[in-house]
Every structure is written in structure tokens, then in C-alpha cells.
Amino acid sequence: KQEVTQIPAALSVPEGENLVLNCSFTDSAIYNLQWFRQDPGKGLTSLLLIQSSQREQTSGRLNASLDKSSGRSTLYIAASQPGDSATYLCAVSGFQKLVFGTGTRLLVSP
Amino acid sequence: EPEVTQTPSHQVTQMGQEVILRCVPISNHLYFYWYRQILGQKVEFLVSFYNNEISEKSEIFDDQFSVERPDGSNFTLKIRSTKLEDSAMYFCASSELQGPSAEQYFGPGTRLTVT
């Protein structure tokens, strides 16, 4: 059974810092990995999708990497801003369903 | 930009009542999903739906749950007799494809409160 873990559970940084969020999964037989952002009481916004054959994806200040063989992904956020404050979820796809991690709650202070 | 919509945003119901949660997926998407998130817990997969039938379901999705695509645009989740433990945020999602390039797009969710 696929298990997804995210560390740290919470992170508080001053504005402008570069930061790394970590995601690990137990079964490397995945189709893809998605990173989402969730604001309090709101839905999930897809940030990046990395296919199983890819190593990296970039969107603006976000860069996600995937090492399928070791069961790890990282989300790198450059030059963090207060508007980046949210919970970040990673989810791995086993063909259809997504299996989610517990998330990292990020607070960026001005 | 196309988006998944869900109604209502918040539903309060009494234990034992039936509820129907509604979703309008992105128009050219073919694969539809329901997930739920109990407060403070992980987002959990409930069911996937394609070509008018369930393609995968989780252990949570028991006989109390059903899904339907009653017309060309709506996708519904019915809970036949709600329990207190059904209180959660329910998310609908859709994707155009399956497999490695299948990106799932989520709606804003329906908060279900069972009293």
C-alpha cells in the first residue's frame, strides 16, 4: 500500500528565503507526482506535475524534482513571498487515484 | 480558464438523511473523481469514474455511496444515509487523460456537516 510522507509538517520563514519541501513515497511504481497548494478552507490548486519518466519541472519560482528510484520529490520555492503562505501537498498517482501526503504548512512572514 | 465547480459550498444535514453533492467537471475531461478530507487529516480517494461506470473505488466507498453522471455536464456523489463520521470536505476532480500525463484538476470542495 502506497504511503506518502511530507517533512517538515510546518515551516516558518522570513520573506525572501529560498526553501525546500520534501515528499517521500514507499512504492516507486507511480505514473506521476503532483504538487498542490491548499489555502485554509479552500480547494486544491495544482502547481506542478512531474511524469514518472521526468526528473524535474519548473513553473515560475517553483521547481520540483523527482527521484523515483529512491521514492523522493522536492519542491523548491525561490525568493518566498507572504502570498506563498499555504499548505503544500504532494500526491502520487497509481494510474487513476492520487495518494496524498499530510502536507507542509508554510508561513512566510513579511 | 476552465475550472471544476461544486455545489453547494456548505451542506448541513442530520444523521440518517440522504445528501447529493454536485460537481461540474471541465467540459472536455473524460475522467472524474471524488476525494474527501476529514478535518486535520489527509485527502483520501473515494472513487474514479469513466465512460459512465466506476473504474476504481476505495474501501471507504461502501454501499452508502453512489456516483452518477445524470447528464452531459454534472457528476454527483450521493450518500444514502449520512453518519457523523461522513462530516468532511468533499472534493471533485477531473482529468482529460489517464496515465503519466494525467493532471487532475480539483474543485473548491463541499463542506458536509452531519449533526
Side-chain angles (χ1 to χ4, degrees):
Chain A
K1 182 185 168 189
Q2 179 73 269
E3 296 285 345
V4 181
T5 305
Q6 290 185 248
I7 52 170
L11 185 60
S12 184
V13 299
E15 182 176 6
E17 272 203 12
N18 303 323
L19 50 101
V20 175
L21 308 182
N22 296 291
C23 172
S24 61
F25 47 95
T26 53
D27 185 350
S28 61
I30 63 169
Y31 277 79
N32 60 49
L33 183 146
Q34 274 187 260
W35 281 94
F36 293 89
R37 170 189 172 130
Q38 184 175 30
D39 292 283
K42 305 283 184 173
L44 309 177
T45 302
S46 179
L47 298 173
L48 288 164
L49 176 142
I50 312 179
Q51 296 183 35
S52 57
S53 58
Q54 297 174 327
R55 301 282 291 187
E56 202 172 339
Q57 279 288 350
T58 298
S59 176
R61 294 182 294 108
L62 304 180
N63 176 277
S65 67
L66 174 64
D67 184 343
K68 206 172 79 147
S69 60
S70 67
R72 293 176 196 273
S73 176
T74 60
L75 179 67
Y76 175 82
I77 303 177
S80 57
Q81 302 170 357
D84 294 331
S85 297
T87 296
Y88 290 80
L89 303 175
C90 76
V92 297
S93 169
F95 189 60
Q96 293 202 35
K97 70 179 185 185
L98 291 176
V99 178
F100 282 82
T102 43
T104 293
R105 194 168 61 253
L106 173 65
L107 178 63
V108 182
S109 49
Chain B
E1 186 175 325
E3 57 184 17
V4 177
T5 59
Q6 291 185 244
T7 54
S9 57
H10 190 190
Q11 173 94 46
V12 181
T13 190
Q14 288 192 326
M15 201 166 50
Q17 296 296 305
E18 174 184 288
V19 294
I20 297 176
L21 310 183
R22 300 178 195 281
C23 168
V24 179
I26 294 173
S27 62
N28 63 330
H29 285 189
L30 301 175
Y31 302 88
F32 314 116
Y33 314 85
W34 284 101
Y35 293 81
R36 78 172 186 191
Q37 185 178 33
I38 295 170
L39 189 63
Q41 297 187 23
K42 291 185 181 186
V43 177
E44 302 171 287
F45 169 79
L46 292 177
V47 66
S48 59
F49 191 85
Y50 167 70
N51 200 26
N52 276 323
E53 56 184 37
I54 290 172
S55 42
E56 188 175 355
K57 62 182 181 180
S58 72
E59 296 165 353
I60 304 167
F61 194 89
D62 60 21
D63 293 343
Q64 295 283 59
F65 292 88
S66 62
V67 289
E68 194 179 29
R69 188 150 163 84
D71 53 43
S73 59
N74 288 283
F75 179 50
T76 62
L77 174 69
K78 183 193 291 187
I79 309 175
R80 201 178 338 270
S81 177
T82 50
K83 308 186 194 82
L84 294 176
E85 54 264 37
D86 293 328
S87 294
M89 190 76 131
Y90 287 80
F91 294 108
C92 173
S94 68
S95 66
E96 187 179 2
L97 305 166
Q98 273 191 336
S101 55
E103 186 167 3
Q104 293 190 24
Y105 294 87
F106 282 70
T110 292
R111 181 168 300 285
L112 176 65
T113 302
V114 182
T115 61

